[in-house]
Amino acid sequence: MKTFCGRANTTDGALVWVEESEEYDYHQEIARSSYADMLHDHDRNQKYYAGIRAAVARVKARGDKAVVLDIGTGTGLLSMMALTAGADFCYAIEVFKPMAEAAKCIVEKNGFSDRMKIINKHSTEVTVGPDGDMQTRANILVTELFDTELIGEGALPSYEHAHQNLVQEGCEAVPHRATVYAQLVESELLWSWGQLQPMEVGGARLAPPPAVTHCAGAHSVCDIQLSQVPPQHFTPLGPLCTMFSVDFSKPVSSASQSHSSRFPAQASGKAQVVLSWWDIDMDPEGSIVCTMAPSWTYPQPKAAPWRDHWMQSVYFLSTEKSVVEGEELSLMVSHDNYSLWYGLQTDSQQDGESEAPLSRPCCTCHAHLVWNRPRFGELNDSRRTESYVSALRSVLNTDSVCLSVSDGSLLPVFAHMLGAKKVFGLESSRMSKRVVEQVLEANSMKEGVELLEIRANQLSSNDLGGQQISVLLGEPYFSTSLLPWHSLFFWYSRTALAKLLRPGATILPRSATLHAAVVEFQDLWRIRSPCGTCEGFDVSPMDEMVQRSLDFRESREAEPHPLWEYPCRALTQPTAVMTFDFTQCVPQQPIHAQGSFPIVRSGCCHGVALWMEYQLTDQVTISMGLSGAVGEQGACEWSRHRKQGVYFFPSPRQSAGENGDKVSYSFTFEPSSGDIKMQFNGASDSP
């Protein structure tokens, strides 16, 4: 049996459906699951263990048998904790079959099979009774159903069903309760991820369309490692507010609800963004607390636990509002089964009226559907805009006929503003075409740029009115791109357009260079590191399951990560490993590159960071990776706008950074597919 998987085709920029073996989906799900991240989270594990021990003790103190229901058991870790703490029996539910099978192996390996039953179903399908999945209702409910937004994995409906059908009234719950916190802030950095800002282009002002600035935006949460956004990048306008709590030991409702918190503004400014996270109390007294608060809230930030399976949330207000210090404000939050959204009312809005219902944000301008949060930040980056304007100025003249090849790009607008004779822009979708049209209309340039909803390999001379292109432009940015080299679609477009270019036409960017550096991650290594034992339990069958899936294909591929969220140290100098000359067409034969990275700093070689740099002209280069020089100790600063590629070594090794220590590399660019294959030697310890 075969399965079809969606993939970006670098050669034509399209999303294509590729036929894969039936094992592909299975292995990819496991390989990308990051189960190890949760098991390496000792703070989480220890807090759960303490809460479970306390819950079992309370039940035993009443003279009752302790029957546990563990929903979303994963490896069975929490159930094994309960049995070790004295529980009499555990029903462990796991809907993902490969994980359920791994859990059975783990439970057997640890000697708990006689007191634990793995149920491979969704919890809402589980039956109770003499012939059911569970013989009796449980009196202890243990779950880990949470995501960064707390409820995004369907925690509320699952709890609601469990209380109605699977657990006894008055059951003990671990965690006992969850509390959501929020803080209203002004932040130029974060706000730039949600709204298009005015731009300076060659001395003229480019205004954002009213339809965009008045749009409430997309309702999906922006989840990030907020610990990597230093406090100097935002100004608190109010205190950290307790927005709402959910008591999991009592019946839970999945119905939509709204809550609010009133407070006087702590400072004057522009209310733009809400920062949010949550805590879980593992016991009724709240003495065992696991918090998702960012590190800068800790007295000693370096002591904060790191986790990637739970992060923090950023919500954008529908419009920014000016507030005055001392003004009474009401921060509101609403939620349904799966998501939260925030709103703000000020003194003037509250006078003589009750708080209006908070409607869910919905994008009406299409920009928030075409541009994701990093893309907004990229478009709002004034230094980046200045680089493109400088490059364009050096190549444009009054006779220039320009063609831009990117998705939702403002480069054709820039070219028109800088005096090009004629400007065309290729857009991959009607929606992105409409967004750029709105920018043109808002700035009275509707006739200045002709946008074509057509792919480069379909473009003809008739589409261009018989004109030949003198300047071909690209950022390059494409909505289907995941890894840095997927932007090489620009090169394939340039090749397809070769017959429509004037002799000696300018190509901007002129070339792209793939850069790489061997790095030591501060924490990201945890998502790939085997666990072995976790809190005293042998979970090696899970490690073996993940490794089998990695060996299927994933371990030989890089994966995308926004490295500004994941600090690392460069153990080698950043190295240009492969260059792609856009002034020439894509070659017919593969491009090969071999060499080595000398290790110059001591540390653990976890993997290789990969990124692209674009040479716009001889004088102007833009990096999609490092945004500055590597520090003396190897500290790296990364672009917040693009994801970089990461190749994890199967077995990282420690290096002293001396005696000629190095990592050898081999890269091959395959023109037929647009893929880059890579191999590294000398990076891993021997098995």
Side-chain angles (χ1 to χ4, degrees):
M1 182 177 175
K2 299 287 187 178
T3 185
F4 288 91
C5 302
R7 286 186 173 181
N9 186 334
T10 303
T11 65
D12 64 10
L15 182 66
V16 296
W17 293 96
V18 180
E19 189 178 58
E20 295 280 5
S21 68
E22 61 182 344
E23 295 90 3
Y24 179 80
D25 238 8
Y26 165 91
H27 286 295
Q28 188 176 56
E29 177 73 17
I30 295 171
R32 299 296 197 210
S33 62
S34 298
Y35 288 116
D37 173 32
M38 292 185 281
L39 296 181
H40 281 299
D41 187 348
H42 297 298
D43 178 72
R44 160 199 177 267
N45 299 339
Q46 292 165 2
K47 300 289 177 58
Y48 260 102
Y49 210 165
I52 289 169
R53 282 194 293 262
V56 171
R58 289 193 296 272
V59 171
K60 291 289 189 177
R62 297 196 291 264
D64 297 332
K65 285 188 174 182
V67 180
V68 176
L69 172 63
D70 178 3
I71 301 178
T73 193
T75 59
L77 176 66
L78 303 184
S79 288
M80 292 189 295
M81 287 178 175
L83 293 171
T84 303
D88 295 279
F89 198 85
C90 286
Y91 294 102
I93 300 173
E94 176 55 53
V95 69
F96 186 42
K97 187 175 181 180
M99 197 69 247
E101 292 173 349
K104 289 179 182 178
C105 294
I106 291 170
V107 169
E108 182 177 354
K109 196 175 186 70
N110 287 274
F112 294 108
S113 295
D114 59 333
R115 292 190 291 152
M116 184 172 168
K117 181 180 180 181
I118 306 291
I119 304 171
N120 181 209
K121 288 184 177 181
H122 193 283
S123 64
T124 57
E125 299 172 343
V126 171
T127 58
V128 179
D131 299 321
D133 301 305
M134 299 170 61
Q135 294 294 298
T136 182
R137 288 185 178 224
N139 53 13
I140 298 177
L141 176 58
V142 177
T143 62
E144 204 278 57
L145 298 171
F146 315 116
D147 70 346
T148 293
E149 208 171 12
L150 181 67
I151 64 173
E153 292 185 1
L156 295 181
S158 296
Y159 271 111
E160 184 176 48
H161 176 269
H163 276 286
Q164 292 172 354
N165 301 278
L166 305 178
V167 298
Q168 299 174 15
E169 183 178 355
C171 74
E172 300 287 345
V174 183
H176 181 80
R177 76 176 63 84
T179 303
V180 173
Y181 301 94
Q183 187 168 37
L184 180 69
V185 304
E186 174 182 3
S187 173
E188 181 180 345
L189 169 65
L190 298 178
W191 187 243
S192 73
W193 299 351
Q195 286 288 356
L196 190 63
Q197 306 297 315
M199 302 178 189
E200 291 295 322
V201 180
R205 184 176 184 271
L206 184 67
V212 177
T213 56
H214 296 155
C215 178
H219 75 273
S220 58
V221 65
C222 177
D223 54 340
I224 63 172
Q225 291 283 359
L226 202 53
S227 296
Q228 300 307 314
V229 180
Q232 59 263 33
H233 282 298
F234 59 87
T235 302
L237 300 180
L240 184 63
C241 300
T242 300
M243 299 308 300
F244 67 92
S245 294
V246 182
D247 187 335
F248 297 126
S249 69
K250 299 176 181 178
V252 172
S253 172
S254 62
S256 298
Q257 297 182 33
S258 296
H259 310 269
S260 65
S261 180
R262 291 175 65 88
F263 55 87
Q266 293 181 341
S268 298
K270 295 178 181 178
Q272 299 169 324
V273 173
V274 177
L275 311 181
S276 183
W277 57 86
W278 48 267
D279 292 348
I280 42 178
D281 295 331
M282 297 299 183
D283 62 333
E285 296 76 26
S287 61
I288 309 169
V289 182
C290 186
T291 180
M292 304 309 117
S295 62
W296 37 257
T297 66
Y298 283 68
Q300 295 180 313
K302 290 185 178 180
W306 182 87
R307 47 179 68 97
D308 202 45
H309 54 104
W310 296 329
M311 294 186 280
Q312 296 78 38
S313 302
V314 173
Y315 299 89
F316 303 93
L317 296 181
S318 56
T319 56
E320 62 181 8
K321 296 181 180 180
S322 295
V323 300
V324 179
E325 184 176 357
E327 181 180 9
E328 195 71 16
L329 304 177
S330 180
L331 183 63
M332 299 171 290
V333 63
S334 293
H335 70 80
D336 55 16
N337 286 357
Y338 295 96
S339 59
L340 282 68
W341 56 95
Y342 282 84
L344 179 70
Q345 283 192 333
T346 60
D347 256 345
S348 58
Q349 292 173 305
Q350 295 169 12
D351 290 342
E353 61 179 68
S354 60
E355 291 180 356
L358 187 60
S359 59
R360 179 200 294 271
C362 178
C363 178
T364 56
C365 71
H366 304 309
H368 300 93
L369 305 178
V370 169
W371 296 327
N372 59 23
R373 271 59 184 258
R375 178 61 170 161
F376 267 102
E378 186 170 57
L379 294 171
N380 288 323
D381 185 338
S382 59
R383 286 183 297 180
R384 176 182 173 279
T385 297
E386 288 169 5
S387 294
Y388 272 101
V389 169
S390 174
L392 285 169
R393 277 186 181 280
S394 69
V395 301
L396 293 179
N397 57 53
T398 54
D399 290 326
S400 295
V401 177
C402 302
L403 174 64
S404 175
V405 182
S406 290
D407 286 348
S409 175
L410 299 182
L411 286 192
V413 183
F414 293 176
H416 172 70
M417 295 176 71
L418 293 172
K421 174 184 175 182
K422 180 65 180 178
V423 181
F424 298 92
L426 299 190
E427 290 294 341
S428 62
S429 73
R430 185 163 301 175
M431 191 176 293
S432 62
K433 177 172 176 280
R434 178 59 190 145
V435 170
V436 180
E437 285 175 342
Q438 289 180 89
V439 175
L440 293 167
E441 292 167 2
N443 292 275
S444 302
M445 301 179 193
K446 190 174 180 180
E447 305 303 321
V449 177
E450 187 173 343
L451 299 175
L452 306 171
E453 187 186 339
I454 190 171
R455 294 196 177 278
N457 58 1
Q458 300 169 328
L459 193 69
S460 69
S461 179
N462 290 336
D463 296 314
L464 303 176
Q467 300 183 81
Q468 284 190 306
I469 302 302
S470 59
V471 181
L472 180 65
L473 311 172
E475 301 200 32
Y477 172 86
F478 304 100
S479 58
T480 55
S481 298
L482 294 175
L483 289 162
W485 43 93
H486 290 171
S487 61
L488 291 177
F489 170 52
F490 177 80
W491 200 12
Y492 289 88
S493 298
R494 176 259 182 271
T495 303
L497 295 166
K499 293 182 179 179
L500 300 178
L501 301 177
R502 287 182 191 171
T506 298
I507 312 296
L508 190 157
R510 295 176 51 82
S511 62
T513 305
L514 179 64
H515 286 250
V518 176
V519 297
E520 175 186 57
F521 284 108
Q522 181 175 302
D523 296 296
L524 189 65
W525 60 269
R526 301 173 195 269
I527 71 172
R528 284 287 169 269
S529 178
C531 294
T533 60
C534 180
E535 309 308 323
F537 301 98
D538 187 344
V539 295
S540 57
M542 186 215 67
D543 294 333
E544 294 163 5
M545 176 189 72
V546 171
Q547 190 57 53
R548 283 194 298 271
S549 292
L550 286 169
D551 289 342
F552 180 75
R553 180 186 297 176
E554 299 296 324
S555 64
R556 295 295 172 258
E557 295 182 352
E559 54 189 73
H561 290 282
L563 291 185
W564 73 269
E565 296 185 53
Y566 304 104
C568 63
R569 294 174 57 240
L571 303 184
T572 65
Q573 298 296 349
T575 303
V577 296
M578 187 172 279
T579 297
F580 310 96
D581 184 358
F582 296 159
T583 65
Q584 305 297 317
C585 292
V586 176
Q588 302 257 327
Q589 300 302 316
I591 300 175
H592 302 284
Q594 293 181 326
S596 62
F597 305 115
I599 306 293
V600 297
R601 299 179 185 90
S602 62
C604 187
C605 302
H606 287 131
V608 177
L610 302 131
W611 67 97
M612 297 289 271
E613 292 189 1
Y614 298 106
Q615 293 73 49
L616 304 187
T617 64
D618 290 338
Q619 290 77 36
V620 184
T621 298
I622 289 183
S623 174
M624 298 295 103
L626 287 174
S627 56
V630 173
E632 185 176 337
Q633 302 301 316
C636 301
E637 291 186 12
W638 300 95
S639 166
R640 294 189 179 98
H641 307 322
R642 302 277 181 104
K643 290 183 178 181
Q644 292 74 41
V646 178
Y647 183 104
F648 289 99
F649 295 142
S651 302
R653 69 165 170 82
Q654 200 71 28
S655 173
E658 55 189 25
N659 299 324
D661 204 1
K662 63 184 179 181
V663 173
S664 299
Y665 64 80
S666 172
F667 287 84
T668 299
F669 169 72
E670 295 286 353
S672 61
S673 64
D675 289 338
I676 293 181
K677 301 298 182 184
M678 57 196 76
Q679 289 186 334
F680 302 95
N681 295 308
S684 302
D685 289 320
S686 299

